[in-house]
Amino acid sequence: MNLREDKGYTYGAHSAVSVQAGVMPWLMATSVQTDKTAESLVEIRREILSALGDRPVGAKEFENARNNLVLRYPQAFETQRQLAENAGVLWTYHLPADYFETRLQQLKELTLDDVNKAARDVLQPGNISWLVVGDWKNLEKKLSTAGLGQAELVQAPGE
């Protein structure tokens, strides 16, 4: 909401945990104008730090997010492809057959305290890696001075 409504930098930003064995990265993504890229990253970092400090997730934000997850949950089982992918998740991670039902119940029972505790236990702002896709010529200086770590150009093979 900060990037979209407060700053007007983007139409939307989203994040998700990449479910996999071992370390499960938390991925965040958005599309912004080149001249607002560094500022957007600084705002994202500020949001993470404030959630760990002076502004943890609030009751309304939590209820909206939890309701969204619970009410949209059935959409993950609408198509044959989704059913096959979910069966693959059960097999890959050796999960019980009732995993998805159990997970839905866990989402329904999740509390605000659970979420804020998980944020404190899991989020590590010092370990954030930023991947920026864009015009390096116009991004390099701002990224290098934004306090986000060393900016480095990585080119696609053949470029």
Side-chain angles (χ1 to χ4, degrees), residues 4-158:
R4 179 182 170 131
E5 294 186 6
D6 295 345
K7 302 288 186 269
Y9 292 166
T10 184
Y11 284 111
H14 65 276
S15 69
V17 173
S18 178
V19 178
Q20 58 193 36
V23 174
M24 292 189 291
W26 177 37
L27 307 172
M28 297 168 275
T30 189
S31 295
V32 297
Q33 295 175 184
T34 299
D35 66 334
K36 297 300 180 194
T37 300
E39 293 89 337
S40 297
L41 297 176
V42 168
E43 286 299 317
I44 290 168
R45 184 185 61 199
R46 189 180 65 72
E47 290 287 337
I48 293 167
L49 292 173
S50 68
L52 294 173
D54 64 338
R55 195 185 61 79
V57 175
K60 182 176 181 185
E61 183 179 12
F62 166 73
E63 287 297 326
N64 288 342
R66 184 181 60 185
N67 288 341
N68 183 43
L69 288 171
V70 168
L71 294 174
R72 292 182 62 201
Y73 198 79
Q75 291 177 335
F77 307 92
E78 290 182 333
T79 68
Q80 296 295 327
R81 179 180 179 165
Q82 289 170 314
L83 293 172
E85 288 173 350
N86 286 325
V89 167
L90 295 177
W91 181 81
T92 300
Y93 300 110
H94 309 286
L95 298 171
D98 68 346
Y99 168 77
F100 292 107
E101 291 171 16
T102 302
R103 183 166 182 250
L104 178 58
Q105 190 57 39
Q106 289 170 339
L107 286 172
K108 289 178 179 178
E109 294 172 0
L110 193 65
T111 69
L112 178 58
D113 288 338
D114 294 333
V115 169
N116 283 315
K117 181 181 182 319
R120 291 188 304 273
D121 291 348
V122 175
L123 292 180
Q124 300 174 9
N127 289 337
I128 294 175
S129 296
W130 306 96
L131 173 63
V132 178
V133 178
D135 182 357
W136 177 251
K137 214 171 33 174
N138 290 317
L139 291 170
E140 180 181 12
K141 183 177 180 183
K142 280 183 131 181
L143 289 174
S144 295
T145 59
L148 301 167
Q150 178 63 39
E152 175 184 346
L153 174 63
V154 178
Q155 291 183 296

